[in-house]
Amino acid sequence: MRTIDNIRQFITSEICGGHCEPITDTDLLIDQGIIDSMGIIVLLGFLEEKFAVRIEGDELLPENFATLAAISTLVDKKNGMNAEG
Amino acid sequence: MEFVLSEEQIDLRDAVIRFARQEIDHDLPSYDKEGSFPFESWRKCADMQIMALPFAEEYGGCGSDFLTTVVVLQALGYSCRDAGLVHAIATQILCGLQIHLFGTPEQKQRFLPALCRGEKIFAQAITEPGAGSDAIGAMRTRAEQTEDGYVLNGSKMFISNGPIADVVIVFALTDPESSRLSGISCFMVEKETAGFERCRSIEKMGLCTLQNGELVFDDCHVPKATLLGREGQGAIIFNESMEWERSLLPAAHLGTLERVLETSIAYAKKRSAFGQPIGKYQAVANKIVDMKVAFELGRLILYKAATLKTQGKRAAMEASIAKLFISEGLKQSCLDAVQVHGGYGFTKEYEIERDLRDSVAATIYSGTSEMQQAIISRLMGL
């Protein structure tokens, strides 16, 4: 499964509890309230464990978590892959 | 995961215990009664480099890992009876960690050496008169951007170290229209800044030497260089700092719990009733057993959280469990210790009543026990 689909599945099932509309790659996760301040803690735990990455202080920026595409790009960049990986 | 302390950690812990017993000698009952801050003892702790522990040597720190810092705070909570002073030191370290993690090289150079030496006192300002557990969601303090910086307006409440702080890390709304996750920023405001007022310390039932008060920002202009992290990064910095805070404060609380446990054991062996030591009665022994269980299990989860942080991993769940378990364990242990000591426990002379008053704060500060339960539940996907 692609990185972006893995993250989509996690946000849909674990953060939204399966109670949200299908999330597109460019939906604004923070602005639309899909991810709140607690949600990002849950998401960071998932990303670091699932993809074996460590997201550092200067990467903990809202824009890196604004959309599924942005999160996926960050994770793939950290794993030395392109966003399609 | 192994929780065996290194020889160096054990030596440091023992040195801090000796230091606190010999050097922290202010008249605590008087300070507690008057609600005064023990500046001389603060300076002694700074000279002992306690607040410098986790910071890089280039900034005047000791370069210790986070587990070592936690072990030292536990030792201080055990050997220093002034829980308000220990809380103030934990707050100082927490502010330093935020600067260390999110500050620019210039900010680190400017603030960390003075923080490590204890020359400047730091505070973190999140809570507001109308925003406690929902500090991020209900925040009203604004930081409006100007050509050369920001203008802060609003007030913060119950800020630990606030009334005596030289530098305050202030969380404020920079974009009230956007989500709170991206609309809050952090600023480092110095006490001399025009429009910034530190109000008097608030009287409390416990932690009386810790200075807590309101901070008011009235058209307080701060330059862009005071921004800690990037604009909009405040909520994320808050989340990150809570993991550290929820390990630092429980470390001190665990130390106090250990002291209360030892005091109770000694009294239960010495005090006799109906012809034998009261510790021989199950009704008394069981209370002390519960203290021991709280101490041993609290130490395991605390060291797990601190070890994860030392390894650069996330410990949101572990830190919240440690905060919840240890603070509630401490409060119950103090209540039980008063009961074990009977009439003497209720007197000021035996000092357990102060530990009990102080322990109530442990279940409230840095997120109430109920908030920790909500966080843990959310982290489990409920």
Side-chain angles (χ1 to χ4, degrees), chain B residues 103 331 343:
Chain B
K331 188 169 72 175

Side-chain angles (χ1 to χ4, degrees), chain B residues 18 30 32 51 102 114 119 153 174 197 199 201 224 255 260 265 268-269 271 282 287 335 337 355 370 374-375:
Chain B
R18 276 196 308 275
S30 300
D32 185 70
M51 32 195 110
F102 295 100
E119 289 171 3
N153 275 294
T174 37
E197 186 190 356
C199 301
S201 189
K224 275 185 183 160
V260 169
I265 291 171
K269 285 180 174 175
R271 175 78 175 178
Q282 281 188 344
K287 291 187 193 308
L335 262 175
D355 287 327
E370 291 76 12
I375 291 165

Side-chain angles (χ1 to χ4, degrees), chain B residues 34-35 69 82 114 117 120 137 172 191 194 213 235 247 285 296 310 319 333 359 380:
Chain B
E34 291 163 15
T69 306
D82 188 345
R117 291 193 296 267
K120 286 186 185 289
K191 67 177 179 185
S247 300
E296 292 292 342
T310 297
S333 296
S359 74
M380 289 191 299

